[in-house]
Amino acid sequence: MEKLSYVGKSLPRKDALIKATGRAAYTDDREFAGMLHAAAVRSPRPRIRILSISDAKAKKVAGYVTLVTYRDIKGVNKWPVVMHDYPFLPEKEARFAGETVALVVARTARAARRAAALVEIKFKELPYIDDPLKALEKGSLKIYGKDNILSSFVIKRGSVDEAFKKAAFTVEGEFSTNYQVHAYLETQGAIALPESDGGMTVHSTTQCPFYVLDAVAAVLGVPYNKVKVLQTVTGGGFGGKEDVPALVASHAALCAARTGRPVKLIYGRKEDFQSMSKRHPGWARVAYGADKNGKITACRVKYVLDGGAYCTLSPIVLWRGTVHAAGPYKIANVDIKTYAAATNKVPAGAFRGFGQPQICFAQESLIDELAQKAGMDPVQFRLKNLLNPGDKTVTGQKLNSSCGLGELVQTLRKRSGWDKKVKSPSVKGDIATGIGFSAAYYGVGLGAKGRYLDRAGALVNVYKDSSVGVNVGNAEMGQGALTVLAQIAAETLNAPYESVKVEEVDSSKVPDSGPTVASRTTLMSGNAIIEAATPIRERVFKTAHDMLVLLGADTSQKMTAAGGVFSMGGRSVAFKQVVAECWGRRLKMSEQGWYAAPRTTFKMEDGQGDAYVIYSYSADAAEVEVDLKTGVTKIKKIWAAYDVGKIVNPRLAAGQAEGGILQGMSWALYENLIYKNGVMVNPNFTDYVIATTKDKPEYDITFIEKPYKEGPYHAKGMGEVPLIGVAPAVANAIKNACGARVNSVPLLPEKVWKKLQGA
Ligand code: MTE
Ligand code: MOS
């Protein structure tokens, strides 16, 4: 591989200083002259017919300005996200407790909240559904379409019934997983500023500035060129700022249009819990069959997600879960059926892993059971069945050479001391220790289902002083995109890393680059930057060569470029000097780039085709201690290995790994959002427990870089990968430690304890 100056180095984060010193300006830190404040009025019950909304009492609050309802919408009252079924503000019926029914505008945030609490909604309560499995029953109450199905997919391959009949070993199990709350530190928020031409500028904390653009233009009924979306420094997303910021921004924009003043709308934590997307609760029945040699021959899956009241991103989340539902194995006979069901609860959406962790928990737990039945070690069993280069996935996609799964599993087996530990789970007093394993693959980007969105733009400007400005359409939300993309730009231009600045997204500077999800930023925006920078690079390199010749360089030697310096035959020039000369020659030092993902194919009828352009891979081993008296599980150590292609920034990649693992174990062990009678009962960080740094286990992280030809400097994507396989590795470790097979996440002490009692 070529020698690189910046890519592959642990360079400092571009945003480290402003974030560590508290200078970063988040949405709520921004103030504008004459700015008003909005607050949401929310439905108190799971399903209501709205009879009237009155602000008679709210009006008495000092600073009250106005009430905003669906009647104020000049555009269309349908949020343009996937199915266009979610009204910006409901007209007759509100479908989940916490849904925004109206907005109040006041002079201060406090007054707005006070007034919102005094707005009276007169309503008639309607019957509701809170269970996705009930929603799918034939005679169920219909709350969505004819069948309560938001989305559904199949994968069919070979002849499953026959394969199960012939199988020497079979296993079947039901598994379920609960919600996960994104728990980003910065709650949802937006500021909308009316422009003199009737347009709107929006400051938004978001992963998807272009979804915000779509929604604000739609709600206001103005053309796109009158709306400008500026992404503010974003305090965490994890998928929770994919779809919903568009709704929040639309609400702020409506209020701004109504009042003609800038309006700020910032969510409190409780309402953020109640109304913002979550990881879908999942339910799955999975069955596997294997022949007498331990080769998996059949897999049957029924997978159901609780989509909540509106469709939003359910089809995309479900599709990813569908494609990966059988696990990273060669299986000739497969029958996968999946459903997202409507319920009268908060619409679930994107969360790191996108429908994969739920089904991965089920199938990787069951793979251990199958291995046991076949009398094989679970790691040996996986090695026998897993996907290698040249193999076909369950959708019939042939894998290329960028597939290091086998090596990952072998590596972890050694590093974790698996062979010895798995055979000798120990009990000391009340504490049982055990080890568990999981393997996963992950399709990078949006794949066939989101194909039309899988493109990205970039704008690269090399200024006269040689500083470099880069605009992209994907967002920094903590994962390190600004840094990684700056490394790619610096590498391509041979510009000093310090001189490159990548900015938060401005929708007026770059074309719609799709959402910042599916770990696609490095690949998509990275390639767009390379495309933009390449013609500039050619001009810079040619000019540098001319300059070196003039300086008397020995031209029999080749020019080299590294670390912002060009050298040839005993002479050298710096990037800065070369750029000055380029400007002197009136060369074009600004370019746009565009990258569209390679073609994918997927037939919806049978789920066959090339689902994703490329896959990343992971393996996890978890060592746990289970208290046999209480059922409390403690994770001692996680070994993880990843093939995410070339690592652009090793320190950031390790950070993504550690954070993803911790978020995965938090979901596996602790996080437990509860609904009772259609209403969320613990929408706060006191009663909803998440892992903190105090709970973090020891980590042992390995990267095995299998280069991807199409990737920027051969990178793939990694942001979500570390979360996916954690829960089943932990569940398998609990089983290994004490014999308790818990089939539902979170793996709460009472569930482990009950199993230990033989329940
Ligand atoms: N890391 C931090 N610190 N904050 C985040 O919000 N989001 C995750 C992951 N890592 C997230 C994060 C999710 S859900 C995705 S899709 C990827 O980052 C997106 O980043 P990428 O496209 O740059 O890989
Ligand atoms: Mo990540 S769930 O794809 O934003």
Side-chain angles (χ1 to χ4, degrees):
M1 245 192 239
E2 61 207 293
K3 212 172 162 312
L4 301 170
S5 300
Y6 304 112
V7 168
K9 303 240 154 76
S10 290
L11 295 171
R13 276 188 84 109
K14 287 286 184 184
D15 50 354
L17 199 63
I18 60 158
K19 284 178 176 169
T21 56
R23 271 183 283 149
Y26 297 86
T27 298
D28 201 15
D29 295 320
R30 290 165 195 259
E31 298 293 333
F32 295 92
M35 189 170 77
L36 301 173
H37 298 263
V41 180
R42 298 180 182 282
S43 171
R45 301 291 307 150
R47 187 162 170 239
I48 60 171
R49 174 162 324 287
I50 302 163
L51 302 174
S52 67
I53 303 172
S54 160
D55 65 349
K57 286 189 187 144
K59 271 183 177 150
K60 294 183 186 134
V61 173
Y64 179 79
V65 176
T66 189
L67 181 73
V68 173
T69 69
Y70 76 90
R71 287 176 215 279
D72 297 294
I73 295 172
K74 298 271 192 317
V76 287
N77 191 14
K78 288 274 182 264
W79 173 15
V81 59
V82 191
M83 295 300 287
H84 301 223
D85 60 340
Y86 198 153
F88 287 110
L89 289 167
E91 302 184 5
K92 293 196 182 89
E93 185 179 320
R95 292 162 179 255
F96 69 96
E99 181 172 356
T100 301
V101 169
L103 294 138
V104 156
V105 186
R107 286 185 205 293
T108 65
R110 215 154 164 242
R113 276 199 295 275
R114 277 248 229 54
L118 293 172
V119 169
E120 285 177 303
I121 311 171
K122 279 221 177 74
F123 62 84
K124 177 170 179 281
E125 196 150 353
L126 300 173
Y128 63 88
I129 292 191
D130 61 359
D131 179 340
L133 296 180
K134 285 212 180 101
L136 294 181
E137 285 170 8
K138 277 226 164 65
S140 64
L141 171 72
K142 296 295 176 275
I143 56 163
Y144 194 99
K146 285 196 294 276
D147 51 13
N148 295 333
I149 295 175
L150 299 168
S151 180
S152 178
F153 299 102
V154 296
I155 291 179
K156 288 186 197 142
R157 191 169 175 74
S159 12
V160 177
D161 292 340
E162 218 165 290
F164 269 108
K165 262 185 229 145
K166 282 196 203 142
F169 310 103
T170 61
V171 285
E172 186 174 22
E174 280 185 29
F175 297 83
S176 65
T177 58
N178 201 356
Y179 287 102
Q180 186 172 21
V181 178
H182 302 90
Y184 34 61
L185 287 183
E186 183 203 22
T187 56
Q188 302 278 341
I191 303 171
L193 296 103
E195 299 294 346
S196 44
D197 64 353
M200 195 68 69
T201 296
V202 176
H203 296 254
S204 166
T205 173
T206 178
Q207 295 176 225
C208 303
F210 299 95
Y211 286 1
V212 176
L213 178 65
D214 291 338
V216 171
V219 80
L220 298 177
V222 300
Y224 276 51
N225 63 4
K226 287 193 174 179
V227 179
K228 189 194 286 201
V229 179
L230 302 169
Q231 184 219 351
T232 50
V233 174
T234 296
F238 305 110
K241 287 176 185 160
E242 172 166 357
D243 51 354
V244 279
L247 192 64
V248 179
S250 303
H251 289 163
L254 260 183
C255 295
R258 170 70 198 272
T259 58
R261 300 264 290 270
V263 173
K264 183 189 266 186
L265 172 60
I266 305 288
Y267 276 20
R269 186 60 69 177
K270 183 177 168 189
E271 59 183 335
D272 196 289
F273 259 84
Q274 290 169 329
S275 66
M276 292 300 123
S277 66
K278 308 278 175 285
R279 183 186 301 290
H280 291 73
W283 174 92
R285 185 187 298 126
V286 183
Y288 281 110
D291 68 14
K292 63 178 193 317
N293 302 316
K295 190 173 170 310
I296 305 174
T297 51
C299 175
R300 185 181 284 125
V301 177
K302 182 177 175 188
Y303 177 33
V304 178
L305 290 177
D306 183 346
Y310 298 103
C311 189
T312 63
L313 302 170
S314 283
I316 312 192
V317 172
L318 183 69
W319 186 74
R320 176 175 282 284
T322 308
V323 169
H324 296 87
Y329 306 107
K330 294 172 282 223
I331 312 175
N333 305 289
V334 178
D335 176 8
I336 298 168
K337 291 195 181 75
T338 65
Y339 307 87
T343 55
N344 291 108
K345 294 188 291 184
V346 66
F351 196 131
R352 206 171 193 171
F354 237 85
Q356 267 194 258
Q358 297 96 317
I359 193 67
C360 180
F361 166 66
Q363 62 71 211
E364 279 301 280
S365 295
L366 205 59
I367 285 288
D368 260 37
E369 299 294 311
L370 183 58
Q372 198 188 354
K373 261 207 170 163
M376 284 173 75
D377 170 78
V379 169
Q380 194 55 41
F381 184 78
R382 285 182 172 85
L383 281 168
K384 190 171 182 107
N385 287 288
L386 54 74
L387 293 164
N388 286 305
D391 288 339
K392 282 189 173 169
T393 68
V394 293
T395 73
Q397 177 169 2
K398 193 170 167 190
L399 295 175
N400 63 18
S401 63
S402 180
C403 165
L405 188 54
E407 264 175 73
L408 300 182
V409 172
Q410 293 285 19
T411 302
L412 275 202
R413 180 186 201 168
K414 272 204 211 88
R415 293 190 74 91
S416 66
W418 173 267
D419 290 345
K420 203 161 144 239
K421 284 181 182 162
V422 73
K423 287 192 203 112
S424 52
S426 75
V427 181
K428 284 202 191 94
D430 291 329
I431 303 298
T433 305
I435 192 163
F437 205 91
S438 75
Y441 68 147
Y442 172 88
V444 179
L446 298 168
K449 177 76 183 136
R451 177 167 43 215
Y452 65 101
L453 288 170
D454 234 355
R455 42 12 182 196
L459 171 64
V460 174
N461 278 315
V462 180
Y463 293 97
K464 276 188 305 202
D465 70 347
S466 84
S467 63
V468 180
V470 179
N471 287 278
V472 290
N474 292 135
E476 170 68 71
M477 50 178 146
Q479 86 278 37
L482 296 180
T483 306
V484 167
L485 296 178
Q487 288 176 263
I488 289 172
E491 192 68 61
T492 310
L493 293 168
N494 190 35
Y497 172 70
E498 304 72 43
S499 70
V500 179
K501 180 181 177 189
V502 185
E503 288 194 57
E504 262 83 17
V505 181
D506 173 340
S507 69
S508 66
K509 282 192 186 166
V510 276
D512 189 329
S513 302
T516 309
V517 298
S519 309
R520 65 191 282 276
T521 305
T522 304
L523 177 60
M524 301 299 299
S525 286
N527 274 339
I529 288 172
I530 291 173
E531 210 207 57
T534 298
I536 304 178
R537 172 193 163 99
E538 279 161 16
R539 286 165 212 141
V540 169
F541 276 53
K542 164 143 197 330
T543 306
H545 191 270
D546 292 352
M547 290 170 79
L548 290 167
V549 171
L550 281 174
L551 285 170
D554 172 1
T555 51
S556 68
Q557 309 255 333
K558 262 186 113 181
M559 185 176 83
T560 59
V565 178
F566 299 86
S567 307
M568 183 169 74
R571 297 283 186 275
S572 54
V573 282
F575 181 75
K576 194 179 171 77
Q577 297 164 285
V578 179
V579 168
E581 176 63 19
C582 288
W583 274 93
R585 295 181 181 188
R586 300 188 301 174
L587 296 177
K588 186 179 177 201
M589 299 303 276
S590 170
E591 291 284 353
Q592 291 240 5
W594 184 249
Y595 182 73
R599 229 180 97 72
T600 44
T601 55
F602 190 83
K603 286 200 302 292
M604 290 300 159
E605 312 83 74
D606 60 359
Q608 294 299 298
D610 289 357
Y612 289 93
V613 294
I614 190 71
Y615 295 84
S616 285
Y617 300 87
S618 72
D620 289 273
E623 190 167 34
V624 306
E625 287 178 348
V626 182
D627 186 324
L628 300 172
K629 250 197 191 144
T630 60
V632 170
T633 301
K634 200 170 162 236
I635 299 174
K636 278 172 61 183
K637 185 161 181 176
I638 302 258
W639 294 261
Y642 308 106
D643 163 20
V644 293
K646 172 78 183 168
I647 298 293
V648 181
N649 186 314
R651 191 192 293 140
L652 287 190
Q656 281 297 296
E658 295 190 7
I661 290 169
L662 192 66
Q663 205 165 33
M665 66 171 254
S666 183
W667 178 63
L669 288 181
Y670 309 129
E671 302 195 31
N672 201 22
L673 193 70
I674 296 167
Y675 266 91
K676 225 181 218 158
N677 302 325
V679 177
M680 205 182 282
V681 299
N682 54 340
N684 59 69
F685 287 142
T686 307
D687 304 313
Y688 181 83
V689 177
I690 64 169
T692 69
T693 49
K694 275 198 135 179
D695 304 296
K696 88 180 161 60
E698 207 184 314
Y699 300 106
D700 178 282
I701 290 157
T702 311
F703 291 103
I704 291 174
E705 305 176 70
K706 293 286 174 195
Y708 171 42
K709 221 169 59 269
E710 278 270 339
Y713 299 95
H714 305 122
K716 297 194 273 192
M718 90 155 291
E720 294 166 279
V721 176
L723 188 146
I724 294 169
V726 176
V730 172
N732 290 338
I734 293 174
K735 171 82 194 285
N736 180 247
C738 66
R741 165 62 66 197
V742 181
N743 287 10
S744 102
V745 158
L747 305 157
L748 295 174
E750 53 266 40
K751 295 183 193 169
V752 177
W753 187 83
K754 267 193 192 149
K755 287 276 173 188
L756 287 172
Q757 309 313 304

